[in-house]
Amino acid sequence: MSDHAFSSVGTQARDPYRLNHTGRHAVRSATGHGEGGPASKFVTVTYGFWIFLLSDIIMFSAFFAAYAVLAKATAGGPTGKDLFEPTRVAVQTGLLLTSSFTGGVATLATLRRSMAATQFWLLVTGLLGAAFLFLELQEFAAMIGEQAGPSRSAFLSAFFALVSCHGAHVGLGLLWLGTMMAQLWVKGFRPDILRRLHCFGLFWHALDIIWVAIFTLVYLLGASP
């Protein structure tokens, strides 16, 4: 075999999709289909949303760090042991974790293209999330009524900042969920709607993970002797 043939074989091995081919067939190379083409819209949207979630987690990490530093700075005021109700928080945790499960069931229903099942499980997810948020607002109102608002001490400032930031995310998630239910009902299982539902599922599961950290590091440790 000639040197030219060896060179040609080596080039094809290194460049299987002929991206550097400069001959008269160069226009037909790298069509964008198959293994050598760009990622699908679903993959690129999901990748971009993961970047957003990572940035959100970095923000929550800052709130957790501030709370860890200020957890003992009660300024002579009430502590977590005086204020936290483990039973209420356990119920909240159960509601949010269950809502994550029902959100997963809704995703399975979209794979079957069942409108009734998808809407039902999305509705259940929203109701569970709303119940979680209602209990959290009740807790905040009770604490403020006992003169234990965010201005009482550095500990309470850090607590309200962290927990209310998570609650705001849940509230925005519920608004997003209601919008997606309406879009799904009107437009059906379009690819763009399915991409948005997938991103919502990632967002909702991330909120669950963050809440488990709050439940453990804030409530359980705060209510312990």
Side-chain angles (χ1 to χ4, degrees):
M1 185 179 291
S2 67
D3 292 342
H4 177 72
F6 276 118
S7 175
S8 209
V9 171
T11 301
Q12 289 179 6
R14 291 191 301 272
D15 189 18
Y17 305 112
R18 305 183 67 179
L19 298 179
N20 296 322
H21 186 66
T22 56
R24 61 190 179 88
H25 299 296
V27 175
R28 294 200 297 267
S29 64
T31 60
H33 299 288
E35 187 178 353
S40 67
K41 185 78 170 180
F42 183 88
V43 172
T44 55
V45 168
T46 302
Y47 178 75
F49 197 75
W50 268 113
I51 294 175
F52 161 74
L53 289 179
L54 290 174
S55 68
D56 218 30
I57 290 172
I58 291 172
M59 179 190 69
F60 272 104
S61 299
F63 280 110
F64 275 110
Y67 178 83
V69 171
L70 301 173
K72 302 297 183 182
T74 59
T79 65
K81 185 179 179 182
D82 301 322
L83 297 171
F84 299 157
E85 299 179 28
T87 302
R88 176 196 292 271
V89 183
V91 171
Q92 286 181 260
T93 303
L95 289 170
L96 199 60
L97 292 178
T98 305
S99 75
S100 190
F101 170 76
T102 57
V105 176
T107 299
L108 293 177
T110 64
L111 299 178
R112 295 187 286 109
R113 299 298 189 267
S114 173
M115 179 64 72
T118 302
Q119 293 283 9
F120 173 78
W121 288 113
L122 289 177
L123 177 62
V124 173
T125 301
L127 292 175
L128 291 170
F132 167 88
L133 199 58
F134 175 75
L135 290 177
E136 186 165 277
L137 292 174
Q138 267 193 337
E139 178 189 35
F140 287 170
M143 291 175 67
I144 293 172
E146 295 173 3
Q147 305 302 314
S151 60
R152 177 63 183 82
S153 65
F155 154 66
L156 287 170
S157 295
F159 167 80
F160 273 92
L162 173 59
V163 180
S164 63
C165 182
H166 179 270
H169 279 70
V170 173
L172 291 173
L174 293 176
L175 180 61
W176 184 2
L177 176 60
T179 303
M180 293 310 306
M181 291 177 66
Q183 289 187 351
L184 185 63
W185 182 262
V186 173
K187 300 178 181 180
F189 294 99
R190 290 187 351 188
D192 56 336
I193 303 297
L194 294 175
R195 288 195 298 268
R196 294 168 196 164
L197 281 173
H198 179 69
C199 289
F200 169 79
L202 294 176
F203 177 79
W204 203 251
H205 293 316
L207 291 184
D208 268 7
I209 295 171
I210 294 169
W211 177 255
V212 169
I214 293 175
F215 175 65
T216 305
L217 301 176
V218 175
Y219 287 102
L220 289 184
L221 291 180
S224 61

